[in-house]
Amino acid sequence: MPEAIPPRQATELSTKEDVLGRATTMGGQHRVVQDLFAYARDTRREGRALSEDALVQERLLDAFIDCEIGRLFEERNERMKLAGQELTYETAQYTLWTKKSALRVAGFIHDVVGPFALLGGEDPCAPLGGVFGAYWQQAVLELGRDGITAEEASAAMAHGLGFVWAENREGAWPSAAEYTGFSQAGAVAQAGAG
């Protein structure tokens, strides 16, 4: 396990209550990633620890890196505040990073644990008493928490960097239908014609 995340004893694993409301705090995220490392190390499939699988190792490192980047942003902001420096885009950057990182880490958890990662604590099949399921739910809820959405954080960061963020981002990127050539209306029309 990487040294930046100190190891904890098995009795210190997160509980569902530990995770609630903390998906985008770096401390909360680090704790869940610690639990994920412990789960991968202690869970065996076909006689081997999950952590021996190359894909699992990659996802564990991805989760660790996401947490560390967030921690570095947080540390930078604290040092700037202590030095009396003005934070322009930095706070919005940290907010945007943590909101999106929570979802990425939830995805990494799903990749390692599988569909059981989505189960709540009341389900007997939920790993670690539903910690991963609680984190997944919180990661989704955190996108609009604190009164700022990811879109608003992006706009604030752009403003801090000195460029204008288009208010109406519609059409900035092709829709899934334009990108894939598939549209729901076209599929319905085809189904009705057949």
Side-chain angles (χ1 to χ4, degrees):
M1 180 180 288
E3 288 196 27
I5 299 180
R8 294 187 293 143
Q9 299 299 318
T11 57
E12 297 178 49
L13 293 176
S14 296
T15 64
K16 181 178 167 185
E17 290 73 30
D18 288 338
V19 176
L20 295 176
R22 298 187 325 158
T24 60
T25 65
M26 286 298 101
Q29 195 175 62
H30 266 98
R31 216 172 149 130
V32 170
V33 170
Q34 284 179 322
D35 294 343
L36 183 61
F37 270 82
Y39 178 84
R41 182 190 62 239
D42 299 340
T43 302
R44 303 187 84 65
R45 293 204 180 128
E46 299 176 10
R48 295 179 54 207
L50 281 179
S51 60
E52 293 177 22
D53 181 86
L55 178 63
V56 169
Q57 291 172 356
E58 186 177 324
R59 293 302 178 257
L60 291 172
L61 289 177
D62 289 341
F64 174 76
I65 290 167
D66 249 49
C67 286
E68 283 300 294
I69 291 171
R71 186 188 63 76
L72 291 172
F73 282 154
E74 184 176 48
E75 188 174 308
R76 175 208 52 198
N77 291 1
E78 288 303 314
R79 288 177 187 242
M80 287 179 72
K81 285 180 195 173
L82 288 173
Q85 295 177 310
E86 181 184 357
L87 288 119
T88 55
Y89 67 90
E90 292 86 1
T91 301
Q93 181 185 44
Y94 172 72
T95 300
L96 181 63
W97 177 265
T98 56
K99 287 177 182 297
K100 290 186 173 186
S101 175
L103 282 180
R104 282 191 302 272
V105 168
F108 300 146
I109 290 170
H110 184 268
D111 290 346
V112 171
V113 178
F116 292 110
L118 301 175
L119 297 176
E122 64 284 346
D123 193 305
C125 295
L128 302 182
V131 167
F132 299 136
Y135 181 82
W136 185 276
Q137 292 170 355
Q138 282 304 125
V140 171
L141 293 174
E142 292 288 339
L143 287 176
R145 190 174 167 159
D146 302 327
I148 185 168
T149 65
E151 180 71 17
E152 291 166 333
S154 296
M157 192 167 82
H159 178 74
L161 290 169
F163 62 92
V164 178
W165 186 258
E167 291 295 322
N168 182 1
R169 307 275 314 159
E170 286 293 321
W173 298 98
S175 69
E178 292 169 328
Y179 186 74
T180 62
F182 176 83
S183 77
Q184 186 70 26
V188 170
Q190 270 189 327

